[in-house]
Amino acid sequence: MIREGDRVLLVDRRGKRYLVTASNREFHTDLGIINLGELVEKDYGESVISHKGEEFRILKPDVNDIIAKMRRGPQIVHPKDAGIIIAYAGISPGNTVIEAGVGSGALTIFLANIVGPQGRVISYELREDFARIAQKNVEMAGFADRVTIKLKNIYDGIDEESADHIVLDLPQPENVLPHAVEVLKPGGYFVAYTPCTNQVHRFFQAFQEYREHFYKPRVVEVLVREHEVKRECMRPKTTMLAHTGYITFIRKL
Ligand code: SAM
């Protein structure tokens, strides 16, 4: 049952999504005004009706709804890349993951979702303004209990004594290799997301010095081709998100 203060997803007859809070306020849409107080004590799957008589279905928002609607600072890691990071590194409930930089907090939210209430995500960020945005987004997603955002340069070192995995989205992941050797548990993954080929090249040049500590270097790029589904025709969409980043995985011995 929905309680006052809960985040709720409303979906209109066109499939348009609205992320709202169950509260004593009005929410204005082009399909009419909704009294958000009416959401309290309803169940997910039920509906509310706007003053124009339009029906809005009530759903529980998932991480993708939160990330789609949250405030952004820098460019986020997309779900297709977050998915492969989590799957290939085997990130699991209860894990401790060290992340940098936090940016808008999108990858942080995906990681927090998978490590669960028994896990921890410790995220380093250089910029106070981004750390503030990310903190709000993490709170909106309901993961403040398991995420710690630190205003620190991860190139200077990692405070934590050990971690199951290290996940990086910053310009020079090779600068974190000496710290990862100290902190990563055997079997844990070091993952670096970088948009440019020269960053991957530079990473592997630096990696030569540390290769005795790691095995299984792997670099992937994820391409997702979506299809248009119409009654008479299903075909690939004419446009796609062609390139986001290269994802490098190395595993600690
Ligand atoms: N992965 C984030 C997301 O999904 O929202 C976006 C990260 S953004 C592209 C890169 C972030 O790394 C920026 O916020 C930047 O300030 C931060 N950053 C860059 N170098 C850093 C460092 N040495 N230590 C900590 N944070 C750093």
Side-chain angles (χ1 to χ4, degrees), residues 51-108:
H51 86 291
K52 286 186 179 173
E54 291 279 352
E55 184 184 23
F56 290 72
R57 296 298 293 267
I58 305 168
L59 298 181
K60 194 175 171 60
D62 66 15
V63 283
N64 291 296
D65 299 314
I66 302 279
I67 289 167
K69 298 289 178 185
M70 73 187 195
R71 191 174 158 211
R72 293 194 187 178
Q75 182 59 257
I76 68 164
V77 167
H78 286 262
K80 70 180 178 74
D81 296 317
I84 211 103
I85 289 171
I86 289 166
Y88 279 14
I91 300 174
S92 309
N95 280 174
T96 294
V97 181
I98 291 176
E99 185 208 14
V102 78
S104 307
L107 184 55
T108 318

Side-chain angles (χ1 to χ4, degrees), residues 75 77 101-107 125-126 130 152-155 169:
Q75 182 59 257
V77 167
V102 78
S104 307
L107 184 55
E125 172 55 54
L126 274 183
F130 292 160
K152 284 191 85 163
N153 184 341
I154 198 166
Y155 299 159
D169 173 10

